Amino acid sequence: MSDAEKWYLEALRILRLVLGEGHEAVAGVCGSLGEVYSSQGRLEEAVKMHKLALGAYRGASERDSEKVAIALCTLGTTLYRRRLYDRAMKRLEEAYEMSRRLYGDDHEQVAAVLNNMAQVLGDQGRVAES
């Protein structure tokens, strides 16, 4: 276990105890822990943490929020790395639609999600669609 993982797990334990599962601070730590797992190639654990982060952000936020859109994109990207293409596209499409509602069509966050969607399609050999 890395030091980062150890400290994130302890922070997560405390925040869940003090603030509850659906708090934005819990979501942030879950997302950070997911990134640690992702960087270590522990993608199944990363997906689990990103799902927890998404659920907590959705519970703590309005229907459309920047943090929910980013969590959707991050989860989609992690699912893509696991080669779970259909599930990845579903999350990325949600992130795309939410980002468009939040920022409009011409925004860097919208472009980033579109880029991720194109990568998923390209890796599936669906180059014409990407």
Side-chain angles (χ1 to χ4, degrees), residues 4-16 29 33:
E5 179 183 5
K6 181 172 67 171
W7 298 126
Y8 279 134
L9 287 171
E10 181 62 10
L12 187 58
R13 183 192 68 76
I14 293 167
L15 290 172
R16 283 176 165 161
V29 173
L33 189 54

Side-chain angles (χ1 to χ4, degrees), residues 21-117:
E21 191 68 37
H23 195 276
E24 195 171 290
V26 171
V29 173
C30 286
S32 295
L33 189 54
E35 289 302 310
V36 168
Y37 291 150
S38 187
S39 71
Q40 296 172 344
R42 296 163 60 187
L43 298 178
E44 189 171 326
E45 292 166 282
V47 166
K48 178 182 173 188
M49 296 313 298
H50 288 308
K51 283 181 178 179
L52 289 172
L54 175 60
Y57 279 132
R58 280 187 165 154
S61 302
E62 300 174 16
R63 181 176 172 264
D64 288 350
S65 81
E66 180 178 349
K67 291 182 179 182
V68 172
I70 290 170
L72 282 164
C73 187
T74 303
L75 176 56
T77 302
T78 307
L79 289 165
Y80 158 70
R81 289 188 61 207
R82 287 199 63 213
R83 298 188 178 351
L84 300 171
Y85 299 121
D86 289 341
R87 291 172 56 194
M89 279 303 287
K90 181 179 178 193
R91 295 303 188 188
L92 291 169
E93 287 168 355
E94 287 180 73
Y96 171 70
E97 290 302 326
M98 187 175 294
S99 295
R100 286 184 61 217
R101 287 192 299 271
L102 288 166
Y103 308 115
D105 290 335
D106 298 326
H107 189 274
E108 64 186 285
Q109 181 61 31
V110 174
V113 177
L114 286 170
N115 181 65
N116 290 337
M117 292 168 69

